[in-house]
């Protein structure tokens, strides 16, 4: 490797480190909550800790344990009680929590019996909260499946049935969310309504592109703008009115008649005491990396946090940007760093091993061939890209030739969705181990 | 429309105008050649016009007539003779050329009998060129098909047969070019070799992404880096050595034995008197638009001239960039213009009417819904996007709602590849008429 290439590899490692720091659930909470004696500053809002009867912590999502450890690190002895729902929790992890904290597990990505039973217990726990309490609610990726409770008279089976019907009709994710918010107690502001008028701080670690607060975990503490009329419209659109379980139509009819309250809207008193704070996100991770790149003397730019679409198309797009920097110094002159965030998709055509980040990198290999002094790398911020133990991969101008000398054609591996084995053979996988967080993916373009 | 939206529409029209000016074949030639009395300045190289026996013009490609008019506009009475091959030429167009110019037609996109016969005549015309002549060679899109002459002993039928074999094997475009350059007299520096040692100025209007001079029209006046060994490797790779016509193996064997000259390489004396000049390109068009946007007070950026991949994926990517500018002012603060060039593809799934530019715009409609004060628009620089009479389309934050109020769902039209009728119903097609040029496509993101 040349000196420039070695230098780019060092920059790569610094950027990965800054992304993980920004997305780390423990650190993200510690950056958001600031305690000074009896006072807690949460996003500029000041809470006088000794005025509350109890400080209670609830949370759900895959990162909830580490978010809890951060919260407890700031608040210390103040927090007496907690109820958490996560996907897995080892005894070791549970052992780090304050005594008396309840930890339950749920199902992910599809809610099942564990989620429903754990959420039922959480619901009861929330029922004991007093108007004089302060509630900290911690939300992270997977929260929507891990925390779910059908609204009576709908049963868990009926809710699952409806979800299947909608999925098979090709309903959009926004439409799914309207239905979910209206038949699930906790979603669409349900948790805010359950604990009102107690004071509540919700800390949100976003795994959704653009970080819309009402979408992350279906917005349990956030106003919902959708209505029973919208729900009726969606069922009609997909001709599901007669197909869905009878209890869902009962619930809908009650909602349309005003016999049943709608989800709480913006301005509803249940939100008067709710402080929703985003603690980290793809945007925060990308911005942290851009700041690091600038510290390292690069011209740095955050291009988008909405990288979407098929990974192999995105890979060629990113290669094109890097070619342009090489050719004309546009959009920014060398030494340059372009950061992109988002989450692409892979359409499975083969039966190889890979993930969207590795496939994106592989799709860039041929276009970047022989472009000097550049590096492209990709990163799943959870450290696990697809069903692999790699977070992503890196590509430079020598990658194509190195691969060909080993008999590896990028197209063959792409066609088989086998990016992992291509980059494994070249020693170009990025192995970080699981990070315990998820703020989607990042990709970086470096030109030395 | 709001004032901001009206203003963005005005900016759109200015940018379209600057793209067409930059890509116009007549203007592009006039910007490149500068005559002062007896002196011609072509890209910094000075030619003393009265030292030549004759000044001869040859050219081929879809824009050759207008490039010729530009050349004649600069050189005037100096040019006595010309031989042009184009796709169509009306009597009116031919009437504008100097008397005695020969105009022939060829076939496009696949070379056929007309191309071969016209090129045979061109080859004879070139044979009469004297070492004391100055040759101006004009090259534009379509040149590779319009100008083609199989090298003996390969016949036209055998060349077509080989092309079909390669296409059906899934050979890459670079591989096709290696074969073409070795079995076609004019390609891979063939025209430079034919007229050497006469002085030659080649003016190239690029329709290839990145404008590699050896690829545009297969580089008839540009050194070729590929060899007979490369050709043999490609035939072996696709197991075509026994399948191709016998004459092609004869030609190859002669080349490998050194009984036949290879295409001329960089440094070959045939190029000592050749001055290859790019007169316009996608990059030039994008840069012109960026300069116009800056003049209009916008923060402007050229992001890439390598926009590639499926149009519907690119559309969502571009929408994501515009969302980011709206949300955080990154990569550039408002008022902002991001320019992109390249050429996307459409995979046909339905039987509607559209083109890659219109489909890209349609794919952005839902993501841009309700984003205020923005405009995305796309443009085929030949003015004819796909098989339609529109150059492209525009999208703003109201497009989704306007469409839905007419019962138009973007997804339905996307699935049917029917972007034309979606935008036609909304009055959002961009109709420029045929431009007589082609420097691929441009897309612009505006945020007021």
């Amino acid at each position: 490797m040349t000196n420039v290439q070695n230098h780019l590899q060092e920059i790569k490692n610094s950027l990965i480190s800054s992304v993980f720091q920004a997305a780390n659930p423990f650190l993200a909470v510690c950056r958001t909550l600031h305690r000074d004696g009896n006072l807690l500053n949460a996003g500029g809002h000041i809470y006088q800790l000794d005025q509350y009867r109890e400080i209670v912590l609830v949370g759900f999502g895959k990162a909830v344990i580490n978010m809890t450890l951060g919260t407890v690190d700031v608040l210390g002895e103040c927090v007496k009680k907690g109820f958490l729902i996560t996907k897995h929790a080892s005894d070791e992890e549970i052992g780090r929590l304050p005594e008396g904290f309840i930890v339950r597990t749920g199902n992910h990505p599809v809610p099942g019996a564990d989620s429903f039973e754990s959420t039922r217990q959480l619901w009861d726990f929330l029922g004991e909260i007093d108007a004089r309490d302060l509630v900290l609610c911690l939300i992270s990726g997977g929260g929507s499946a891990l925390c779910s409770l059908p609204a009576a008279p709908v049963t868990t089976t009926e809710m699952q049935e409806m979800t299947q019907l909608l999925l098979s009709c090709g309903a959009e994710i926004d439409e799914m969310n309207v239905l979910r918010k209206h038949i699930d107690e906790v979603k669409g502001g349900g948790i805010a309504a359950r604990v009102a008028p107690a004071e509540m701080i919700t800390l949100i670690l976003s795994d959704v592109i653009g970080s819309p607060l009402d979408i992350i975990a279906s917005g349990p503490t956030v106003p919902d703008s959708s209505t029973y009329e919208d729900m009726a419209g969606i069922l009609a659109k997909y001709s599901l009115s007669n197909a869905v379980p009878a209890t869902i139509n009962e619930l809908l009819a009650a909602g349309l008649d005003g016999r049943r309250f709608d989800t709480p809207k913006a301005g509803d008193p249940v939100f008067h005491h709710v402080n929703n704070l985003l603690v980290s996100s793809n945007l925060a991770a990308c911005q942290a990396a851009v700041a690091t790149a600038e510290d390292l003397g690069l011209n740095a730019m955050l291009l988008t946090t909405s990288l979407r679409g098929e990974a192999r198309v995105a890979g060629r797009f990113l290669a094109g940007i890097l070619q342009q920097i090489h050719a004309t110094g546009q959009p920014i002159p060398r030494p340059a760093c372009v950061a992109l965030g988002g989450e692409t998709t892979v359409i499975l055509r083969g039966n190889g091993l890979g993930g969207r980040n590795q496939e994106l990198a592989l799709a860039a290999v041929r276009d970047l061939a022989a472009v000097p002094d550049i590096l492209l790398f990709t990163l799943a911020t959870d450290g696990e890209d697809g069903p692999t133990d790699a977070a992503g991969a890196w590509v430079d101008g020598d990658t194509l030739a190195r691969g060909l000398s080993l008999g590896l054609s990028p197209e063959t591996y792409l066609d088989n969705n086998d990016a992992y084995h291509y980059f494994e053979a070249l020693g170009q996988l990025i192995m970080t181990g699981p990070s315990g967080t998820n703020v989607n993916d990042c990709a970086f373009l470096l030109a030395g």
Side-chain angles (χ1 to χ4, degrees), chain A:
Chain A
M1 280 199 182
T2 66
N3 280 341
V4 174
Q5 281 170 313
N6 279 325
H7 185 53
L8 293 179
Q9 289 286 338
E10 284 166 19
I11 293 170
K12 180 197 81 185
N13 295 337
S14 300
L15 297 181
I16 293 174
S17 169
S18 63
V19 163
F20 281 135
Q21 275 199 42
N24 181 283
F26 181 94
L27 297 174
V29 169
C30 292
R31 277 192 302 268
T32 307
L33 298 179
H34 302 280
R35 183 181 175 183
D36 184 3
N38 187 39
L39 300 178
L40 176 69
N41 181 338
H45 200 111
I46 308 297
Y47 300 82
Q48 195 180 319
L49 295 173
D50 64 2
Q51 78 175 5
Y52 300 102
R53 190 192 71 148
E54 272 193 324
I55 298 178
V56 182
L57 196 152
V58 296
F60 35 90
K62 289 189 280 179
V64 74
I65 301 273
N66 286 328
M67 290 181 78
T68 299
L69 292 174
T71 310
V72 170
D73 190 74
V74 176
L75 289 176
E77 79 299 343
C78 290
V79 194
K80 303 287 188 223
K81 290 164 67 175
F83 193 111
L84 314 178
I85 307 178
T86 187
K87 191 173 175 183
H88 307 290
S90 65
D91 288 345
E92 195 188 342
E93 283 175 312
I94 294 170
R96 293 195 201 111
L97 297 172
E99 243 174 276
F101 266 51
I102 302 162
V103 180
R104 295 285 179 265
T105 55
N107 317 91
H108 180 267
V110 180
D114 289 349
S115 294
F116 300 131
E117 176 52 29
S118 297
T119 308
R120 162 66 58 202
Q121 294 176 24
L122 171 66
W123 199 247
D124 292 343
F125 181 90
L126 293 170
E128 290 164 19
I129 284 170
D130 188 278
R132 293 161 294 169
D133 294 343
L134 172 65
V135 184
L136 285 118
C137 180
L138 311 181
I139 295 178
S140 57
S144 186
L146 297 169
C147 184
S148 176
L149 186 62
V154 181
T155 67
T156 57
T157 321
E158 289 165 345
M159 185 160 81
Q160 289 168 314
E161 205 178 308
M162 192 209 67
T163 304
Q164 277 310 316
L165 278 171
L166 277 165
L167 283 174
S168 61
C169 290
E172 309 260 339
I173 180 72
D174 292 353
E175 295 171 333
M176 299 284 296
N177 268 318
V178 170
L179 275 281
R180 281 189 188 128
K181 287 178 176 182
H182 283 87
I183 65 167
D184 192 321
E185 292 283 9
V186 298
K187 300 190 188 345
I191 285 186
R194 181 75 172 162
V195 303
E199 201 84 49
M200 175 146 145
I201 303 168
T202 303
L203 304 180
I204 304 170
L205 181 69
S206 170
D207 70 334
V208 180
I209 289 180
S211 301
L213 297 186
D214 62 327
I215 301 294
I216 303 165
S218 304
T221 67
V222 180
D224 175 32
S225 60
S226 69
T227 63
Y228 284 109
E229 283 74 17
D230 294 329
M231 175 177 169
I234 293 162
L235 293 179
K237 172 177 174 186
Y238 294 104
S239 308
L240 288 178
S241 306
N242 295 319
V244 294
T247 52
I248 288 179
N249 280 318
E250 274 175 46
L251 181 149
L252 175 60
L256 291 171
D257 288 356
R259 284 176 287 125
R260 186 184 162 85
F261 283 121
D262 203 342
T263 50
K265 307 301 169 204
D268 191 294
V270 306
F271 298 113
H272 286 180
H273 298 280
V274 178
N275 181 8
N276 285 307
L277 296 172
L278 193 63
V279 299
S280 192
S281 64
N282 188 261
L283 176 63
C286 288
Q287 285 176 327
V290 164
T292 298
E294 284 170 346
D295 288 347
L296 294 171
L298 301 172
N299 302 304
M301 165 190 292
L302 168 54
L303 180 54
T304 180
T305 54
S306 302
L307 187 59
R308 285 182 285 228
E310 210 184 335
R312 66 178 64 196
V313 180
R316 298 205 63 194
F317 189 90
L318 268 54
I321 295 172
L322 209 34
Q323 286 173 312
Q324 188 77 50
I325 293 172
H326 171 67
T328 69
Q330 287 164 308
I332 39 171
R334 295 161 166 254
C337 168
V338 176
L340 304 97
E343 195 163 307
T344 61
T345 50
V346 167
I347 297 173
L348 286 179
R349 295 167 171 90
N351 56 5
L353 184 64
R356 54 194 185 277
N357 286 279
Q358 294 159 65
E359 181 141 324
L360 187 156
L362 183 53
V365 167
R366 189 168 289 275
D367 290 332
L368 293 180
V371 183
D373 300 339
I374 54 101
L375 189 67
L376 174 155
F377 67 98
T378 55
L379 195 65
T381 58
D382 61 1
E384 295 172 307
D385 184 35
T388 78
D389 59 0
W394 61 264
V395 174
D396 67 14
D398 297 330
T399 299
L400 179 69
R402 276 203 302 273
L404 291 177
S405 74
L406 300 174
L408 309 175
S409 145
E411 289 74 23
T412 307
Y413 282 79
L414 259 185
D415 286 346
N416 198 28
N417 298 119
D418 200 21
Y420 184 90
H421 290 122
Y422 180 87
F423 288 115
E424 187 184 37
L426 292 175
Q428 293 186 200
L429 289 170
I430 295 177
M431 308 292 274
T432 62
S435 66
T437 191
N438 181 17
V439 293
N440 310 103
D441 302 331
C442 296
F444 295 94
L445 313 177
L446 302 180

